[in-house]
Amino acid sequence: GDSFRCVVFVQQRITSLILSHFINSDVELAGNGMKSGFVTARDAQITPKIKVTKQAARETINSFRQGKINILVATSVIEEGFDVPDANVVISYDHIKDSVELCQRTGRARQQDSSIVVLD
């Protein structure tokens, strides 16, 4: 429904791009109203073609806030420093490194009746 807001945490920038693209390309997910965007750190030598400017990141987060997209795929860049709206589903796609990362991620699931899923 309209209230569905999901943040998917991934470790690698390329994973955020691919997963977001898959979500947006899948007919069944689109038919169920799933729309995705991604936010990563701005620059990395290993993936120089994946560039997310601070402005682009803000626009994606604003789209998430406004409900234009309901799935935000992100690296740890949004754990601190970005005002990301509350989510009712938080998915950790990759393993969690430490208890600090766990706390930061679970802190995004602040809506009532929220769920946290950890994949490993």
Side-chain angles (χ1 to χ4, degrees):
D2 291 338
S3 65
F4 176 75
R5 293 286 185 281
C6 175
V7 177
V8 180
F9 284 102
V10 298
Q11 289 198 355
Q12 296 184 7
R13 295 158 43 94
I14 190 72
T15 306
S16 66
L17 172 71
I18 292 169
L19 193 55
S20 181
H21 177 75
F22 174 81
I23 291 166
N24 291 330
S25 300
D26 186 87
V27 175
E28 190 172 338
L29 291 174
N32 285 308
M34 302 295 129
K35 295 178 188 141
S36 176
F38 71 96
V39 176
T40 67
R42 290 191 289 196
D43 293 312
Q45 291 180 348
I46 197 162
T47 53
K49 297 207 182 239
I50 302 174
K51 294 187 180 197
V52 179
T53 65
K54 197 164 192 164
Q55 180 62 30
R58 281 194 194 111
E59 288 172 8
T60 300
I61 291 169
N62 282 335
S63 291
F64 184 70
R65 180 177 286 109
Q66 296 165 5
K68 294 176 184 175
I69 61 172
N70 51 13
I71 301 173
L72 181 63
V73 183
T75 59
S76 61
V77 71
I78 67 160
E79 288 176 350
E80 295 178 11
F82 279 98
D83 181 22
V84 177
D86 296 350
N88 51 13
V89 176
V90 173
I91 299 172
S92 184
Y93 190 79
D94 299 302
H95 72 278
I96 295 174
K97 292 185 283 189
D98 54 36
S99 60
V100 173
E101 189 172 81
L102 176 64
C103 288
Q104 289 171 331
R105 290 181 181 189
T106 57
R108 294 294 177 190
R110 293 183 293 251
Q111 287 188 16
Q112 188 174 2
D113 298 327
S114 57
S115 299
I116 300 164
V117 178
V118 179
L119 305 174
D120 194 12

